[in-house]
Amino acid sequence: MGRQYEIPVGAQHISLLEPLHFKFTTENERIVRTDANVYYVHRGIEQACCSKFKFRQVSFVVGRVCGLCSISHTTAYSQVAEKLLKIEIPKRAKYLRMLVIELDRIHSHLLCLSHVAENSGFEALFMKTMQYREFSMELLEAVCGNRIQYDFSIVGGVARDLKPETGQLILQRLKNFMPQLEELVGIYQHNWTLSLKNKGTGVLTREDAMRLNVVGPFARAAGLAVDVRNETEDLLPWKEVGFEMITDTAGDVHARNMIRLREIGVSIRLIRNIIDGLPESALLTETKAFPDGEATVRLEAPRGELFYYAKGNKTQVLERLKIKAPTFSNVAGMVHAFTGNEYGSAAAIIASYDPCLSCTAR
Amino acid sequence: MNLASYRKKSPWILHYNAGGCNGCDIEILACLAPKYDIERFGMINTGNPKQSDILLVTGPVTKRSRERLVEIYAQMPEPKVVISCGACASTGGVFRGMYNCEGGVDQFIPVDVYVCGCGTRPEQIIDGVVQALAILEKKTKELEESVKLKREAVKEGHQLNRRHIADEIKPVLS
C-alpha cells in the first residue's frame, strides 16, 4: 500500500472547455478514488423560464442552456410546449428539425473527437479533425443563419425554410466529406500511438453502465443499446428516415471514438434521406391557445437522452419547467470509470465522456 | 531580440468559461483550428495564468465562478488584457437577472475589449484579439515608462525634514 496523493483538476484547466472540478486520489500514479464537482455554471435558467419569460420566448432561452446541443434543447422545449398546446406540427417542420439535429450531431461528435485527440497528446489530429469539422458549421450557417445558437425550432414549427439550393449544397458538401471521414476512421482506428493512449483506458463495463444508468454514446460504447431515436416515433419519425442503432462492446476511450465516428456515418445517411424525401407543407402551426396541463418529452441529444417536463396553467408563463440533461445521468458513470487508470490518461478520459456541464448545471 | 519583442510577437491566451453556454468556447476552439488559425498572430492557448498575456472570458459570471475569475486575473502578470467574448460576458445577456448570475465580467475585473454577438463569430474574436494586441503594446509601453521614472535620482538636499523644522522652531518659542 503506497502513499495516497490528492490531485485536483479544474476549475480552470487547459484540458477543460468549461469549469469542472475533479479531485483524484492517486496511489502510485493510479487513480483509486474520484470526486466530481460539476455545478460551477449554475445560472438558474429553470426559475427564469417560469417567471421572467413568456412561453413562446422560452424556446430561445433554453437554447442558451448549451451551445453545443442548442438545437436539441430548443426542439425538446418546442415539442413539450406543443404537447401542452395540443397541436400537431407540419411534417416538413419535423423533417427540418431532424435535419438540423443531425447536422448538429456531426459537429458535436467531431468536436469531441478532436478534443480527445488533443488531450491524448495528438495535436496534429486535433487540427485535422477541426479542419474537417468546419464544413458542418458552414452548413449549419447556410441552413439556420448562425454558426451556433441556431434558434431554429420555435413553438409550433421551425423558423426558416430550407431552400432547394441549400439542400443541394448540403448533399455536395457531404459527398466531399465522405473521403475525409474515411481518413479519420482510419487514423482513429489504426494509429498505433493513439491506441496506446486510448485502448483499455477508462473502461466502463456493460453491467456498470446498466447499474449507473448511463446514456448516450458513453452507454452505447459499453454495449448498452439505449437511443431515444430507436424508442420514440410519435414526435420525430426517426425510423422513417433510416435510423440504425450502433453499439460497441469494449467500453473504453477507443470504443467511444469509434461509436462517434460510426454515428457520424449514420447521421450523414439520415441527412441524405431527409433531403431526398423532404415533404412539402407549411412550416408553422398557428394557435392562440395557452399551455395547459403537464407533459414530458425525451429527445436524443448528441450526448444522450434529454428530458423535458413542463407544466402550464393557462397563462403566458409556465408554472414549472424541468430539464434533465444527458451529462447529469452520466456523472456517476464518469466518476466510476476513472478508477484503476493512470493519472496521465485522465485528460483523455474526461474528453471522451464529452461532458457538457452547462447542460448539467443549467 | 530581447524578451519584450518576443512578448509582443507572441501573446499567449488564457481562456476561462465563467458560466456561459459553451457556444463562444467552441468558437474560440475553432479560432485555433486551421480555418481561422489564430496561431498566425503567434497566439497559443495556454492553461497557466502565470504565463499568459490575454484573458478571454466567456459567459455571465455565476456566483461560484466569480472568485475563480478574480483569482485567475490576479495571478496573471502585468501587462495583461482582458477580452469579454459574447453578449453574456459583456452585459449578462439573456442570463441577466437570473438568481445565480452576477451580470457582466466588467463588474469584477477591468475589461479592455468587448466582443459582441450570441454566439460570437470567429472573425469577431480574431478582430477583438487583434485590437487587444494594440492595447497590450500600449500597456507595455506605459509600464516601462513608469519604471524609468522611478529610477531617476531623488535630490535629497532640497527636501526638508519635518522633525528638523520643528527643532528649529522650538528655541524661538521658548
Side-chain angles (χ1 to χ4, degrees), chain A residues 37 40 42 52 67 138 147, chain B residues 21 27 35 96 99-100:
Chain A
N37 195 341
Y40 281 94
H42 177 64
K52 212 174 141 192
E138 283 162 13
R147 282 169 61 91
Chain B
C21 74
E27 293 297 58
K35 190 183 173 192
R96 200 185 178 105
Y99 68 85
N100 210 35

Side-chain angles (χ1 to χ4, degrees), chain B residues 73-84:
Chain B
Y73 179 77
Q75 282 184 12
M76 284 171 68
E78 292 279 354
K80 53 193 167 189
V81 180
V82 180
I83 305 175
S84 72

Side-chain angles (χ1 to χ4, degrees), chain B residues 5-122:
Chain B
S5 64
Y6 281 120
R7 287 193 71 175
K8 185 184 151 193
K9 288 268 168 62
S10 61
W12 283 12
I13 285 174
L14 179 71
H15 161 232
Y16 184 65
N17 179 344
C21 74
N22 274 349
C24 302
D25 307 63
I26 55 175
E27 293 297 58
I28 290 169
L29 216 63
C31 281
L32 299 165
K35 190 183 173 192
Y36 294 100
D37 196 18
I38 208 167
E39 278 192 29
R40 66 201 145 123
F41 300 110
M43 293 168 197
I44 193 166
N45 192 14
T46 166
N48 191 347
K50 288 172 185 166
Q51 294 171 340
S52 44
D53 305 300
I54 296 178
L55 175 61
L56 282 167
V57 190
T58 59
V61 183
T62 59
K63 283 190 175 156
R64 228 175 145 187
S65 59
R66 178 185 61 195
E67 288 151 34
R68 277 91 188 167
L69 178 68
V70 175
E71 180 72 19
I72 286 169
Y73 179 77
Q75 282 184 12
M76 284 171 68
E78 292 279 354
K80 53 193 167 189
V81 180
V82 180
I83 305 175
S84 72
C85 274
C88 38
S90 303
T91 63
V94 70
F95 306 118
R96 200 185 178 105
M98 288 187 187
Y99 68 85
N100 210 35
C101 279
E102 301 274 2
V105 174
D106 52 3
Q107 297 180 23
F108 305 105
I109 56 174
V111 176
D112 297 286
V113 183
Y114 295 90
V115 181
C116 62
C118 179
T120 325
R121 294 182 63 83

